[in-house]
Amino acid sequence: MSDVFPPPPPGEGQGEGATVAELQRLTIRQLAQTLPPREARLEAQLLLAHALKVDRVWLIAHDTDPLTPAQLDACNALIARRLVGEPIAYLLGEREFYGRRFQVTPAVLIPRPETELLVDLALERLPADAPARVLDLGTGSGCLALTLALERPLAQVTAVDASADALAVARENAHHLQVANVALIESDWFAVLEGGAGCNPPGRMNPAPQRRAFDLIVANPPYVAAADPHLAQGDVRFEPLSALAAGADGLDDLRRIIAAAPAHLAPGGGLLLEHGWDQGEAVPALLYAAGFIDVECVPDLAGQPRVSLGRMPE
Ligand code: GLN
């Protein structure tokens, strides 16, 4: 988005005495310089409602209300941040995923609609009427782990992330979504699980390593090539690079996960991985090489290769 923040025309917009409707009109005009009109309108309403701590219906009912200087300042500060390109999800502090609201901060990747495919594929493999042990690697906001835990209350979900700041966000989400069947653990991929302790309830150490513990492992790891120009565009510029970029070909983390996963899967256990549109051959090849069977790559709604999966032999 443009980093120009033009002064308001006289008598309208951000100036003293502006009404809700005037500020909204000006905000739409500014956002529409880089967004389609419909999106500009929606974002303007969301930003104003957020800054004023009201809902969008209030904006309509109060359109002739003059804004106080403090209200104008709050609105203008948020609008200015959006105009320099900060993602709307970070400004509002939330994003919807699989029908639920997840809190997000710049410590976590913003949940993407295409990742809902990973949820659908995982749910197909998790019976609703039986317990299962599920691991989510690099959980970020917790959108995958918490969605699976809520959709499958009998499952015991373990979610790890290497970032303590990300885990704090996931914890917040587990709390407000009232998820009881999840354990959130700080770990660089499988590191903390190597001794098996991560699979136990907190405070109960198991002296015998519990490898091959999981029925299903899911991950939306970083998979963008480090030099991909896409990393310097749009929302992505404000997201944690550690959640996006993975070496020269974007496969560094996928390779590590695929190599280590078999030791953590129960016989017949599945591995489901999100990846880039151009990794639909490389990831299945890595899965075969690691001993997975029934390997397939599933396209997203846009028809792009998006999730590859396989399972361990029985
Ligand atoms: N799909 C994201 C993007 O291209 C990347 C997410 C990821 O690396 N896990 O913006």
Side-chain angles (χ1 to χ4, degrees):
M1 297 198 51
S2 132
D3 54 3
V4 192
F5 191 53
E12 209 206 356
Q14 292 108 324
E16 190 109 340
T19 65
V20 169
E22 283 166 353
L23 180 59
Q24 186 174 313
R25 270 199 300 279
L26 180 68
T27 308
I28 293 170
R29 270 217 301 280
Q30 290 174 318
L31 293 173
Q33 288 173 14
T34 48
L35 294 175
R38 193 184 277 271
E39 251 173 75
R41 180 175 194 79
L42 176 65
E43 288 205 4
Q45 291 173 345
L46 290 169
L47 289 171
L48 296 191
H50 187 72
L52 298 172
K53 300 186 171 62
V54 297
D55 60 25
R56 283 163 62 210
V57 176
W58 186 96
L59 295 177
I60 298 164
H62 293 258
D63 64 343
T64 56
D65 285 15
L67 294 162
T68 67
Q71 286 176 320
L72 272 173
D73 284 351
C75 291
N76 287 334
L78 207 60
I79 296 161
R81 290 173 63 189
R82 183 63 188 123
L83 288 172
V84 296
E86 276 193 57
I88 186 98
Y90 289 155
L91 296 178
L92 303 178
E94 63 179 36
R95 173 54 51 97
E96 197 224 84
F97 182 80
Y98 219 82
R100 299 183 180 89
R101 274 186 202 188
F102 285 81
Q103 298 183 14
V104 294
T105 75
V108 301
L109 198 74
I110 299 164
R112 311 266 202 281
E114 58 266 30
T115 303
E116 293 181 344
L117 171 64
L118 195 47
V119 174
D120 287 334
L121 293 168
L123 293 178
E124 281 172 20
R125 287 156 181 81
L126 290 171
D129 55 356
R133 295 148 303 176
V134 180
L135 173 64
D136 174 28
L137 295 164
T139 197
S141 64
C143 64
L144 273 177
L146 300 175
T147 300
L148 294 177
L150 287 164
E151 297 291 326
R152 291 292 181 266
L154 296 181
Q156 203 50 53
V157 181
T158 301
V160 303
D161 203 290
S163 155
D165 290 342
L167 277 181
V169 176
R171 245 176 229 123
E172 197 53 49
N173 281 318
H175 179 72
H176 89 85
L177 293 169
Q178 298 183 293
V179 187
N181 51 332
V182 71
L184 296 157
I185 301 168
E186 192 173 326
S187 177
D188 181 18
W189 303 134
F190 295 97
V192 102
L193 307 173
E194 292 299 339
C199 311
N200 298 320
R204 278 220 350 245
M205 294 298 287
N206 186 346
Q210 275 220 339
R211 300 182 104 199
R212 307 192 186 284
F214 295 101
D215 302 300
L216 194 68
I217 300 178
V218 299
N220 174 17
Y223 54 70
V224 181
D228 190 325
H230 164 79
L231 291 173
Q233 292 160 15
D235 282 8
V236 181
R237 290 172 295 162
F238 293 84
E239 295 184 288
L241 193 61
S242 61
L244 289 161
D249 59 1
L251 290 167
D252 280 11
D253 291 288
L254 284 159
R255 274 192 206 93
R256 279 181 65 187
I257 291 169
I258 293 169
H264 296 273
L265 282 168
L271 177 61
L272 271 69
L273 299 166
E274 180 172 321
H275 55 71
W277 61 272
D278 53 353
Q279 295 166 336
E281 285 180 18
V283 176
L286 289 166
L287 287 167
Y288 277 123
F292 285 89
I293 59 169
D294 295 342
V295 172
E296 52 178 316
C297 175
V298 184
D300 60 21
L301 286 174
Q304 303 280 9
R306 182 59 60 196
V307 174
S308 285
L309 52 100
R311 65 181 183 90
M312 294 309 290
E314 296 288 341

